[in-house]
């Protein structure tokens, strides 16, 4: 089945926040952000801005009636700054005017007196100064110290990976409408409607039931609208409450890039020990996460780094330490992969380093250490249905890896100024929110008396196709065509206490809740059908709108059955709840069973480097992926291709560039480059492996949102392999921009120097 | 303020706001056509792409433009088509191809892609690389492969389409555009095709520079509009010169058959510059006047020995730049005409940026030499991104004359060019990188023009 929004997308009729017809009396908001990365706000002069024609009000922290606090995990982030300024762009004031233009012009007239302080812009620097958010975490298994002492080979080094701007094409935005009796309705471009509702309640000091949050769809989220859609919705709500007018707040791109957090940059130190058979006997890593100026989701992201620090390898003696370091940049946040990619990048660097030293390809070490059934992850969960080896083997066979490698060798023999490299990137990604309590969802189903069906869940559609999958679940449970099912907006009054659409888990959690709700109604309907048809209910089922007995049409259709139920006063609506069974995690012991299941896969990435110009292209990416039994191969293919290219972007052309005052210089699409059509690999082949799924996945169709992003890490190592053919050893610093490639080739970064890239 | 009259989809409209204001705001706010999306307001994402049809040389011809940059005054006498304007009872073949290939996820970029692809259908241009069709559209969701599959499908479907003048009829019959397109040409002929000349102080062409630099203050300016070219290929060869009006667009340069006969790679070079909708809007004169140190057509024209006419006779381009963003032009002076001597076959352009396409160069450079029996008889090298102005490498150029084309000369020229450069570190690269890059790109000129020396060039 096709993505249900395709027709409205291609005709331009899909509605986003910015497209909502303006309500009478609407005021437009512009956010005034801190002009410095670190400082103290001594004075705020609003008079000139207030005098600008069309300006209705300017709100500051003193206008907040409730708690001026939006920090979810740790309360360390005011909605509007009071006196301390912690990052450039930190919201200080909200200008409301009768046009977007006037609001922005007036904003430029705000004057501030600030005492500027030295910013901290690097995580290691913050760590050294003790600027740590939450506590340092350590995951450990076995006895790493003894294992290192006994290891035949031990290598150590360091590396770093940059952050990543989400660059959802639809910027952040919200539209808040005061309704009556202090009630607010907020349309928000958020992945987490409940987070918006909860935070508005806290900031405005009103109960959650006074706030309705509604989401039709997002023009992209990627994690950037999980927690960070909240401030803009709260600001709109605040102004709507104070001024009793509808308030529209849609960020311009430059504001969005300056004010919102990104994927966390990481620096890391690693030590890896191997035996003579290339088995990794010990691995130790310390992560310095650049959390930005406030906690946001950083502690949870850090935790997932720890869950994935051994990627898809079994390492008997492994230890990882990690700290969220407070710096003076935007608070960093969720981004597809949620810390997992950074953890995986580090161990792949360690493996590449060991491979250099031992004179083998990284592949040799990767292959020798893949997880097997029954192996234990460092957090205590045992690998069940481990597919690491199956994916690896399938890739080698289906992608004709040996032929590819031979072609690369002969290409490199034939070319002087251009070289190819190939890298393998196996992945293993845990599915579930690592905060156990978030693994729950609800769904509401109505069958109308004409047999048409309406469903609501807590899942938010942001392009990933979850709405489509929900429609499929309902259609399948009722045995009716998908066209009879309508998915409603995600709305806090229909489904309450939702988890954000994140962690790749929305289709599983909401799908399972929906499955239950549909089963309830369908069961009642089949009882009625059995009484009408005077037969055993177990003989009946519905397919294509018809009620079948012993697989033969009965003449009764779903439509007539629904009206019969109505006339017999049978309840045609149901709400159901689902909580993933069996998941738990003890953060004191750092042990548990946090994931319902794992997703596996392996990619081969081939790159060509132009050694004269220092540029590169990706010729081919072959992905052998464990989709389980995909309920929607069309949607899942799109997730795999899109995730890969986003991951390649993170590893290559996407570079966040801050100056030493903490100002983001790559603050526009002209200076921050995401992949365009030419930057995508020339060929991407996605191989749907024929492996059984997991019962914890909806219809055994495994979660797909995040895992493919991590194949992009292979892009870094493919380029690195190509550079080795020039005799240059690329340091473990991502992204590998054209500049880094040229510098590596031109200076022939010698062997042995590459691992010491960080000071 | 002069009102702007144009046909918006199937209706004639009059926009009364400032002529320099972006078309996009009118579309979304005044006309409430919300299918055109806002992703960046800087020409870099393509979510706002629209079609603009204009009578050129008696025929209606369409181009895609980024509506966030296009000054609304430019719409005077034109047919502006938004995604709402191609909507019929059924999906168009472009839309069908996108649906069939699942080439949309969140959908926010999608109307822009559909419009770029529809422009391709309307223009009937041939592309050796189909990706060029959507080179101005960023999609953050799909990874582009599904979009490329849709493009391939579209290109197949278009194989049967005749070229102008019957093309439009064919496209209407096959559902690419609605039937009302048939009458548009006649309706446009009744409108004044040029924007009403302003009496202001600032020359405005495509707005791809001005509307990025200062979108808000531009609103108070009354622009001076240079006349647009009256033919699709505004380049002519006469008296030993190639010339064009200053208002010729970068896309016209890319597609000029006149130029491609002299510089066969021109299409390839121009594909490295901006994107289709931006190139279509951007004038060459604007690129020169803008004085950006990395202007791509500027760098090419410097090497080609171009001259410009500001209404006061010919001024060599290499004397036009006085300092950072300073030129010999008064703000109200129009670059009427640009010309350069008919080039030899030895012209080459190189550009490296963070992202190979739709990005400003870290360093770009062009070289044009004349060679007799392997000896260089004249040489012009230029480089961008390595000085406050687009740099004519005067010293290097003069030193090359009389030398034999070989690997040694190439390496020597590369070294000299890099010595002549004065790059600074910024977001596009460190000074060290830019210097090294220029050296490499000058080598690349020689290797590309004289492939036999590749094996001899010692790349350290
Ligand atoms: C997304 C994007 C990508 C880009 N990529 C590139 C790139 O890869 N390479 C590159 O070189 N450039 C690039 N540019 C910049 C390029 O588009 C401009 O330099 C363009 O050529 C300016 O032309 P215009 O007609 O739009 O000028 P305008 O914005 O209209 O004007 C620019 C300046 O030129 C003056 N001017 C305009 N027309 C004339 C005239 N006829 N006579 C005298 N003065 C005139 C104006 O007064 C103004 O000072 C990019 C721009 C954007 C928005
Ligand atoms: S809005 Fe991005 S190109 Fe116009
Ligand atoms: S479909 Fe989301 S940006 Fe293209």
């Amino acid at each position: 089945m096709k993505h249900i929004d395709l027709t409205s997308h291609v005709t331009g009729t899909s509605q986003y926040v910015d497209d909502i017809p303006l309500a009478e009396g609407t005021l437009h908001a512009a956010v005034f952000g801190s002009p410095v990365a670190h400082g103290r706000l001594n004075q705020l002069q609003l008079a000139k801005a207030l005098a600008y024609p069309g300006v209705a009000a300017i709100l500051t922290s003193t206008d907040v009636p409730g708690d001026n606090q939006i920090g979810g995990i740790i309360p360390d982030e005011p909605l509007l700054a009071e006196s301390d300024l912690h990052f450039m762009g930190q919201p200080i004031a909200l200008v409301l005017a009768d046009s977007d233009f006037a609001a922005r012009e007036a904003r430029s007239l705000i004057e501030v007196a600030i005492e500027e302080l030295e910013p901290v812009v690097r995580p290691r620097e913050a760590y050294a100064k003790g600027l740590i958010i939450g506590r340092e975490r350590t995951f450990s298994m076995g006895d790493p110290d003894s294992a290192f002492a006994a290891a035949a080979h031990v290598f150590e080094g360091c590396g770093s990976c940059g952050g990543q701007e989400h660059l959802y094409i639809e910027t952040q935005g919200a539209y808040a409408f005061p309704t009556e009796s202090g009630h607010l309705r907020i349309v928000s471009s958020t992945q987490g409607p409940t987070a918006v509702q909860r935070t508005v309640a806290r900031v405005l000091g009103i109960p959650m039931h006074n706030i309705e949050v509604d989401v039709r769809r997002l023009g992209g989220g990627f994690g950037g609208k999980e927690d960070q859609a909240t401030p803009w919705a709260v600001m709109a709500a605040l102004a709507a409450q104070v001024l009793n007018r509808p308030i529209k707040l849609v960020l311009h791109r430059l504001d969005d890039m300056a004010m919102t957090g990104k994927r966390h940059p990481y620096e890391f130190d690693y030590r890896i020990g191997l035996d003579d058979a290339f088995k990794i006997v010990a691995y130790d890593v310390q992560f310095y996460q650049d959390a930005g100026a406030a906690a946001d989701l950083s502690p949870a992201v850090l935790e997932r780094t720890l869950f994935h620090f051994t990627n898809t390898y079994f390492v008997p003696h492994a230890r990882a330490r990690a700290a969220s370091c407070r710096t003076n940049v935007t608070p960093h946040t969720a981004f597809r992969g949620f810390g997992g990619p950074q953890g995986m990048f580090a161990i792949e660097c360690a493996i590449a380093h060991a491979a250099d030293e031992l004179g083998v390809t990284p592949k040799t070490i990767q292959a020798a250490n893949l997880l097997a059934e029954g192996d234990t992850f460092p957090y205590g969960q045992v690998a069940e249905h481990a597919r690491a080896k199956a994916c690896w083997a399938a890739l080698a066979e289906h992608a004709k890896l040996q032929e590819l490698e031979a072609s690369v060798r002969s290409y490199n023999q034939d070319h002087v100024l251009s070289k190819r490299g190939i890298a393998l990137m196996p992945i293993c990604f845990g599915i579930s929110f690592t905060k156990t309590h978030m693994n729950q969802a609800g769904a509401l189903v109505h069958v109308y008396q004409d047999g048409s069906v309406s469903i609501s869940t807590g899942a938010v559609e942001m392009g990933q196709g979850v709405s489509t999958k929900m429609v499929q679940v309902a259609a399948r449970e009722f045995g009716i065509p998908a066209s009879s099912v309508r998915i409603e907006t995600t709305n806090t009054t229909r489904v309450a206490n939702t988890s954000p659409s994140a962690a790749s888990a929305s289709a599983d959690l909401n799908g399972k809740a929906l499955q239950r709700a549909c089963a309830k109604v369908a069961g009642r309907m089949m009882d009625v059908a059995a009484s009408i048809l005077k037969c055993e209910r177990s003989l009946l089922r519905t397919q294509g709108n018809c009620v079948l007995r012993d697989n033969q049409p009965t003449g009764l259709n779903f439509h007539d059955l629904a009206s019969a139920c109505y006339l017999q006063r049978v309840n045609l609506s149901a709400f159901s709840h689902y909580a993933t069974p069996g998941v738990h995690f003890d953060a004191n012991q750092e042990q548990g069973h946090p994931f319902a299941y794992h997703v596996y896969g392996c990619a081969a990435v081939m790159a060509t480097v132009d050694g004269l110009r220092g540029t590169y292209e990706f010729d081919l990416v072959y992905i052998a992926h464990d989709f389980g039994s995909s309920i929607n191969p069309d949607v899942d293919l799109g997730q795999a291709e899109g995730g890969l290219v986003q991951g390649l972007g993170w590893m290559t052309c996407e570079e966040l560039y801050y100056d030493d005052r903490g100002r983001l210089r790559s603050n526009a699409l002209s200076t921050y480059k995401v992949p365009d059509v030419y930057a995508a690999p020339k060929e991407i082949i996605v191989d749907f492996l024929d492996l059984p799924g997991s019962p914890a996945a909806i219809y055994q169709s495994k979660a797909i949102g995040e895992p493919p992003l991590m194949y992009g890490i292979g892009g870094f190592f493919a380029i690195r392999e190509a550079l080795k053919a020039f005799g240059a050893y690329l340091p473990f610093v991502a992204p590998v921009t054209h500049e880094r490639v040229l510098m590596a080739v031109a200076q022939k970064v010698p062997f042995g120097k590459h691992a010491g890239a960080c000071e | 303020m002069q009102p702007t009259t144009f046909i918006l989809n199937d209706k004639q409209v009059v926009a009364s706001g400032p002529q320099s204001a972006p078309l996009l705001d009118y579309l979304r706010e005044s006309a409430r056509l919300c299918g055109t999306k806002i992703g960046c307001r800087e020409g870099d994402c393509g979510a706002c792409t629209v079609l603009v049809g204009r009578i050129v040389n008696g025929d209606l011809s369409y181009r895609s433009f980024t509506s966030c940059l296009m000054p609304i005054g430019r719409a005077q006498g034109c047919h502006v088509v938004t995604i709402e304007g191609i909507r019929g009872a059924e999906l168009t073949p472009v839309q069908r191809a996108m649906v069939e290939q699942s080439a949309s996820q969140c959908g926010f970029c999608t109307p822009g892609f559909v419009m770029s692809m529809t422009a391709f259908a309307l223009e009937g241009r041939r592309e050796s690389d189909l990706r060029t069709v959507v080179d101005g559209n960023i999609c953050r969701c799909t990874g582009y492969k599904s979009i490329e599959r849709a493009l391939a499908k579209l290109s197949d479907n278009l194989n049967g389409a005749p070229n102008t003048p019957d093309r439009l009829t064919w496209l209407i019959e096959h559902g690419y555009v609605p039937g009302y397109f048939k009458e548009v040409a006649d309706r446009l002929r009744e409108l004044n095709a040029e924007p009403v000349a302003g009496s202001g102080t600032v020359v405005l062409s495509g707005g791809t520079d001005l509307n990025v630099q200062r979108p808000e203050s531009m609103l108070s300016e009354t622009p001076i509009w240079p006349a647009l070219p009256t033919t699709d290929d505004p380049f002519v060869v006469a008296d030993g010169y190639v010339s064009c009006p200053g208002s010729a667009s970068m896309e016209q340069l890319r597609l000029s058959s006149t130029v491609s006969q002299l510089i066969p790679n021109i299409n390839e070079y121009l594909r490295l510059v901006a994107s289709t909708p931006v190139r279509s809007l951007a004038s060459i004169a604007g690129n020169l006047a803008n004085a950006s140190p990395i202007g791509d057509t500027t760098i090419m024209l410097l090497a080609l020995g171009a001259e410009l006419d500001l209404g006061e006779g010919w001024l060599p381009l290499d004397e036009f730049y006085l300092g950072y963003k300073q030129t010999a032009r008064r703000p109200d002076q129009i670059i009427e005409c640009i010309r350069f001597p008919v080039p030899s076959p030895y012209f080459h352009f190189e550009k490296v940026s963070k992202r190979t396409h739709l990005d400003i160069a870290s360093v770009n450079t062009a070289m044009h030499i004349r060679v007799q029996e392997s000896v260089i008889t004249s040489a012009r090298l230029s480089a961008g991104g390595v000085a406050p102005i687009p740099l004519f490498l005067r010293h290097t150029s003069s030193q090359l004359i009389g030398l034999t084309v070989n690997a040694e000369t190439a390496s020597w020229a590369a070294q000299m060019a890099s010595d002549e450069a004065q790059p600074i570190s910024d977001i596009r690269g460190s000074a060290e990188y830019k210097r090294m890059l220029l050296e490499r790109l000058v080598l690349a000129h020689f290797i590309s023009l004289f492939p036999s020396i590749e094996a001899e060039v010692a790349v350290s």
Side-chain angles (χ1 to χ4, degrees), chain A residues 2 9-11 16 18-19 165-166 253 611 613 634 638 642 654-655 674-675 681-682 738-739 746, chain B residues 28 32 37 39 87 95 100 102 105-106 140-141 144-145 149 216 350 353-355 358 430 436 440:
Chain A
K2 291 277 169 200
H9 285 350
V10 299
T11 50
Y16 304 82
D18 199 22
D19 303 332
E165 163 62 45
H166 301 85
R253 178 62 65 184
R613 299 171 181 84
D634 227 41
E654 297 186 34
E655 186 177 38
V674 300
K682 286 193 197 133
H738 287 163
E739 173 165 358
Chain B
R28 287 186 57 91
R32 286 292 307 157
K37 302 296 177 203
R87 202 176 285 160
Q95 292 167 332
E100 278 162 18
S102 298
Q105 291 179 19
C106 80
R140 191 57 157 160
C141 297
Y144 301 99
K145 288 296 150 192
R149 292 190 281 269
E216 270 134 43
E350 288 281 340
S353 35
K354 193 166 266 175
R355 184 176 68 197
L358 183 45
S430 65
M436 188 169 316
R440 300 278 184 128

Side-chain angles (χ1 to χ4, degrees), chain A residues 214 255 322 359 361 434 490 496 570 588 633 657 665 684 719:
Chain A
D214 190 72
D255 290 341
T361 58
T434 54
T490 312
V570 169
N588 293 316
Y657 184 91
R665 292 284 175 187
I684 301 176
I719 291 171

